[in-house]
Amino acid sequence: MPTSTPPTPNPGTYRVIYADPPWVPFQKGKYGASSHYPLMTTERICAMGSAVKEIAAENSFCFLWVTTGTVPDGLRVLEAWGFRYASFFFWAKPRFTVGQTFRNAGELLLLGVRGKGTKVEFRSQPNWGFYPLQEHSHKPEEVHLMVVERLAGEGRYLELFARREAPSRKDWDVWGNEVAADVSLKNWGFPVPSDFAQAAIPETTHEGR
Protein backbone atom coordinates (compact mmCIF):
# COMPACT_ATOMS: atom_id res chain seq x y z
CA MET A 1 0.00 0.00 0.00
CA PRO A 2 1.41 3.42 -0.91
CA THR A 3 2.15 5.89 1.87
CA SER A 4 0.46 8.83 0.09
CA THR A 5 -2.64 9.08 -2.01
CA PRO A 6 -2.26 9.64 -5.78
CA PRO A 7 -3.23 12.97 -7.38
CA THR A 8 -6.31 13.70 -9.45
CA PRO A 9 -5.31 14.14 -13.13
CA ASN A 10 -5.50 17.60 -14.64
CA PRO A 11 -8.04 18.20 -17.41
CA GLY A 12 -6.88 17.26 -20.90
CA THR A 13 -3.83 15.34 -19.68
CA TYR A 14 -3.81 12.14 -21.71
CA ARG A 15 -3.17 11.51 -25.39
CA VAL A 16 -4.17 7.86 -24.87
CA ILE A 17 -6.67 6.03 -22.68
CA TYR A 18 -5.95 2.29 -22.68
CA ALA A 19 -8.42 0.05 -20.85
CA ASP A 20 -9.17 -3.60 -20.19
CA PRO A 21 -12.45 -3.47 -18.26
CA PRO A 22 -13.66 -6.32 -16.03
CA TRP A 23 -16.80 -7.00 -18.10
CA VAL A 24 -19.79 -8.81 -16.58
CA PRO A 25 -21.36 -10.40 -19.72
CA PHE A 26 -20.37 -14.06 -20.14
CA GLN A 27 -17.77 -13.83 -17.36
CA LYS A 28 -19.56 -15.66 -14.55
CA GLY A 29 -19.17 -19.36 -13.92
CA LYS A 30 -16.39 -21.93 -13.90
CA TYR A 31 -14.35 -20.45 -16.76
CA GLY A 32 -15.31 -16.80 -16.35
CA ALA A 33 -13.27 -13.87 -15.11
CA SER A 34 -15.43 -13.64 -11.97
CA SER A 35 -13.21 -16.29 -10.37
CA HIS A 36 -10.20 -13.99 -10.80
CA TYR A 37 -11.41 -10.47 -9.90
CA PRO A 38 -14.58 -8.40 -9.21
CA LEU A 39 -16.60 -7.52 -12.30
CA MET A 40 -18.26 -4.25 -13.33
CA THR A 41 -21.51 -3.82 -15.22
CA THR A 42 -21.43 -2.08 -18.57
CA GLU A 43 -23.51 0.74 -17.08
CA ARG A 44 -20.94 1.29 -14.34
CA ILE A 45 -18.08 1.30 -16.86
CA CYS A 46 -19.99 3.78 -19.01
CA ALA A 47 -20.38 5.99 -15.93
CA MET A 48 -16.62 6.52 -15.95
CA GLY A 49 -17.22 8.77 -18.96
CA SER A 50 -17.39 11.90 -16.81
CA ALA A 51 -13.82 11.25 -15.65
CA VAL A 52 -12.43 10.11 -18.99
CA LYS A 53 -13.94 13.04 -20.90
CA GLU A 54 -12.28 15.48 -18.54
CA ILE A 55 -8.81 13.97 -18.34
CA ALA A 56 -8.43 12.93 -22.00
CA ALA A 57 -6.88 15.44 -24.37
CA GLU A 58 -9.01 17.25 -26.93
CA ASN A 59 -7.38 15.14 -29.64
CA SER A 60 -6.87 11.67 -28.19
CA PHE A 61 -7.22 7.93 -28.66
CA CYS A 62 -8.97 5.21 -26.67
CA PHE A 63 -7.83 1.59 -26.95
CA LEU A 64 -10.49 -0.63 -25.37
CA TRP A 65 -10.26 -4.41 -24.96
CA VAL A 66 -13.45 -6.40 -25.52
CA THR A 67 -14.33 -10.07 -25.67
CA THR A 68 -16.31 -11.49 -28.56
CA GLY A 69 -19.43 -11.24 -26.40
CA THR A 70 -18.89 -7.61 -25.34
CA VAL A 71 -18.33 -5.91 -28.69
CA PRO A 72 -21.69 -4.07 -28.45
CA ASP A 73 -20.87 -3.09 -24.86
CA GLY A 74 -17.48 -1.79 -25.95
CA LEU A 75 -19.05 0.44 -28.58
CA ARG A 76 -21.39 1.81 -25.91
CA VAL A 77 -18.45 2.53 -23.62
CA LEU A 78 -16.47 4.31 -26.35
CA GLU A 79 -19.42 6.62 -26.96
CA ALA A 80 -20.03 7.18 -23.24
CA TRP A 81 -16.36 8.07 -22.81
CA GLY A 82 -16.49 10.63 -25.60
CA PHE A 83 -14.84 8.68 -28.43
CA ARG A 84 -16.08 7.58 -31.83
CA TYR A 85 -15.26 4.12 -33.11
CA ALA A 86 -12.57 4.07 -35.80
CA SER A 87 -11.16 0.54 -36.14
CA PHE A 88 -9.99 -2.55 -34.24
CA PHE A 89 -6.89 -4.64 -33.56
CA PHE A 90 -7.14 -8.44 -33.26
CA TRP A 91 -4.92 -10.39 -30.88
CA ALA A 92 -4.66 -13.90 -32.34
CA LYS A 93 -3.97 -16.46 -29.60
CA PRO A 94 -1.99 -19.69 -30.01
CA ARG A 95 -4.85 -21.91 -28.84
CA PHE A 96 -8.64 -22.15 -28.87
CA THR A 97 -10.55 -21.03 -25.79
CA VAL A 98 -14.25 -21.10 -24.89
CA GLY A 99 -17.16 -20.11 -27.11
CA GLN A 100 -20.85 -20.86 -27.68
CA THR A 101 -20.64 -20.58 -31.48
CA PHE A 102 -17.13 -20.11 -32.89
CA ARG A 103 -14.38 -21.23 -30.53
CA ASN A 104 -12.65 -18.02 -29.52
CA ALA A 105 -9.03 -17.78 -30.60
CA GLY A 106 -8.37 -14.13 -29.91
CA GLU A 107 -9.54 -10.81 -28.48
CA LEU A 108 -10.43 -7.46 -29.99
CA LEU A 109 -8.95 -4.09 -29.10
CA LEU A 110 -11.35 -1.38 -30.22
CA LEU A 111 -9.88 1.94 -31.33
CA GLY A 112 -11.78 5.13 -30.60
CA VAL A 113 -10.77 8.66 -31.52
CA ARG A 114 -11.67 12.04 -30.09
CA GLY A 115 -11.29 15.43 -31.73
CA LYS A 116 -10.94 16.58 -35.31
CA GLY A 117 -7.15 16.63 -35.42
CA THR A 118 -6.42 13.12 -34.15
CA LYS A 119 -4.07 11.44 -36.63
CA VAL A 120 -2.02 8.29 -36.22
CA GLU A 121 1.74 8.63 -36.25
CA PHE A 122 2.45 5.29 -37.94
CA ARG A 123 0.36 4.25 -40.94
CA SER A 124 1.81 0.79 -41.59
CA GLN A 125 0.55 -1.00 -38.46
CA PRO A 126 -1.44 -4.17 -39.31
CA ASN A 127 -4.68 -4.61 -37.38
CA TRP A 128 -3.71 -8.02 -35.97
CA GLY A 129 -0.86 -9.69 -34.12
CA PHE A 130 -0.06 -13.25 -32.99
CA TYR A 131 1.16 -13.15 -29.40
CA PRO A 132 1.51 -15.81 -26.66
CA LEU A 133 -0.85 -16.37 -23.78
CA GLN A 134 0.28 -15.59 -20.24
CA GLU A 135 -1.66 -15.68 -16.97
CA HIS A 136 -5.35 -14.82 -16.99
CA SER A 137 -6.14 -11.39 -18.49
CA HIS A 138 -2.46 -10.56 -19.05
CA LYS A 139 -2.44 -8.69 -22.34
CA PRO A 140 0.64 -8.85 -24.57
CA GLU A 141 3.37 -6.33 -23.77
CA GLU A 142 3.76 -5.89 -27.52
CA VAL A 143 0.39 -4.14 -27.62
CA HIS A 144 1.66 -1.35 -25.37
CA LEU A 145 4.86 -0.93 -27.35
CA MET A 146 4.12 -1.85 -30.96
CA VAL A 147 0.45 -0.97 -31.28
CA VAL A 148 -0.57 1.77 -28.85
CA GLU A 149 2.65 3.81 -28.65
CA ARG A 150 3.58 3.47 -32.30
CA LEU A 151 0.11 4.39 -33.51
CA ALA A 152 -0.57 7.25 -31.10
CA GLY A 153 2.90 8.79 -30.99
CA GLU A 154 4.24 11.05 -28.28
CA GLY A 155 2.15 12.17 -25.32
CA ARG A 156 0.96 10.92 -21.95
CA TYR A 157 -0.75 7.57 -21.59
CA LEU A 158 -3.19 6.27 -18.98
CA GLU A 159 -3.96 2.59 -18.48
CA LEU A 160 -7.25 1.92 -16.71
CA PHE A 161 -7.88 -1.37 -14.86
CA ALA A 162 -4.15 -2.04 -14.89
CA ARG A 163 -2.76 -5.06 -13.06
CA ARG A 164 0.93 -4.15 -13.31
CA GLU A 165 3.16 -1.26 -14.33
CA ALA A 166 3.22 -0.49 -18.04
CA PRO A 167 6.06 -2.35 -19.83
CA SER A 168 7.47 0.85 -21.28
CA ARG A 169 9.77 3.77 -20.53
CA LYS A 170 7.35 6.24 -22.03
CA ASP A 171 5.06 8.46 -19.97
CA TRP A 172 2.47 5.97 -18.72
CA ASP A 173 0.25 6.32 -15.65
CA VAL A 174 -1.69 3.35 -14.30
CA TRP A 175 -4.95 3.08 -12.34
CA GLY A 176 -6.49 -0.04 -10.91
CA ASN A 177 -7.29 -2.24 -7.98
CA GLU A 178 -4.17 -4.40 -8.17
CA VAL A 179 -1.48 -1.76 -8.74
CA ALA A 180 -0.07 1.23 -6.92
CA ALA A 181 -2.15 3.73 -8.89
CA ASP A 182 -0.42 6.85 -10.18
CA VAL A 183 -3.66 8.84 -10.33
CA SER A 184 -6.98 9.00 -8.53
CA LEU A 185 -10.50 8.88 -9.96
CA LYS A 186 -12.08 9.03 -6.51
CA ASN A 187 -13.57 12.47 -7.18
CA TRP A 188 -15.74 10.86 -9.87
CA GLY A 189 -16.84 8.02 -7.62
CA PHE A 190 -14.29 5.38 -8.60
CA PRO A 191 -11.95 4.73 -5.65
CA VAL A 192 -9.26 2.04 -5.59
CA PRO A 193 -7.05 0.92 -2.68
CA SER A 194 -4.30 3.42 -3.52
CA ASP A 195 -6.74 6.23 -2.64
CA PHE A 196 -6.66 5.02 0.96
CA ALA A 197 -2.98 4.96 1.82
CA GLN A 198 -2.26 2.87 4.93
CA ALA A 199 -5.98 2.25 5.37
CA ALA A 200 -8.41 -0.47 4.42
CA ILE A 201 -11.06 0.08 1.77
CA PRO A 202 -14.38 -1.82 1.71
CA GLU A 203 -14.23 -4.61 -0.86
CA THR A 204 -17.47 -3.48 -2.50
CA THR A 205 -15.67 -0.39 -3.80
CA HIS A 206 -12.81 -2.31 -5.44
CA GLU A 207 -13.69 -1.62 -9.05
CA GLY A 208 -10.37 -0.99 -10.71
CA ARG A 209 -9.62 -4.68 -11.37
Side-chain angles (χ1 to χ4, degrees):
M1 182 70 68
T3 57
S4 60
T5 57
T8 300
N10 292 323
T13 295
Y14 296 105
R15 168 79 168 170
V16 166
I17 304 294
Y18 175 74
D20 183 18
W23 302 103
V24 164
F26 310 105
Q27 293 300 321
K28 295 182 178 180
K30 181 178 179 181
Y31 299 106
S34 60
S35 62
H36 296 273
Y37 44 73
L39 306 180
M40 288 176 69
T41 65
T42 301
E43 289 72 21
R44 184 67 174 154
I45 298 169
C46 284
M48 296 179 70
S50 57
V52 173
K53 288 177 181 178
E54 183 168 340
I55 64 179
E58 181 179 353
N59 295 313
S60 53
F61 297 94
C62 181
F63 295 83
L64 182 71
W65 285 105
V66 295
T67 64
T68 55
T70 55
V71 172
D73 302 77
L75 295 173
R76 282 180 56 195
V77 169
L78 282 181
E79 182 177 2
W81 287 7
F83 295 87
R84 60 187 183 277
Y85 170 76
S87 189
F88 69 86
F89 177 85
F90 180 70
W91 169 26
K93 298 181 178 180
R95 67 172 173 81
F96 293 120
T97 55
V98 297
Q100 298 298 318
T101 51
F102 294 115
R103 292 294 297 275
N104 298 326
E107 290 185 52
L108 288 173
L109 181 67
L110 303 184
L111 172 61
V113 296
R114 176 183 181 183
K116 296 181 179 180
T118 306
K119 296 181 180 180
V120 300
E121 296 295 328
F122 182 71
R123 295 184 175 276
S124 297
Q125 175 63 48
N127 76 330
W128 72 279
F130 185 77
Y131 304 124
L133 288 168
Q134 301 181 72
E135 67 268 23
H136 183 86
S137 195
H138 189 147
K139 297 304 187 287
E141 281 77 6
E142 292 88 346
V143 171
H144 285 79
L145 305 173
M146 298 174 62
V147 180
V148 175
E149 293 181 356
R150 189 157 63 176
L151 205 71
E154 295 300 320
R156 294 189 64 182
Y157 305 78
L158 174 63
E159 180 174 356
L160 300 176
F161 308 104
R163 304 181 75 186
R164 57 192 60 82
E165 292 184 1
S168 171
R169 294 182 179 180
K170 288 189 178 290
D171 198 357
W172 282 86
D173 287 332
V174 295
W175 174 90
N177 184 45
E178 297 182 21
V179 296
D182 297 308
V183 296
S184 174
L185 303 183
K186 184 163 62 78
N187 289 352
W188 291 278
F190 293 90
V192 291
S194 293
D195 291 309
F196 300 84
Q198 298 181 332
I201 175 174
E203 185 156 344
T204 55
T205 65
H206 287 192
E207 296 183 308
R209 174 73 69 76

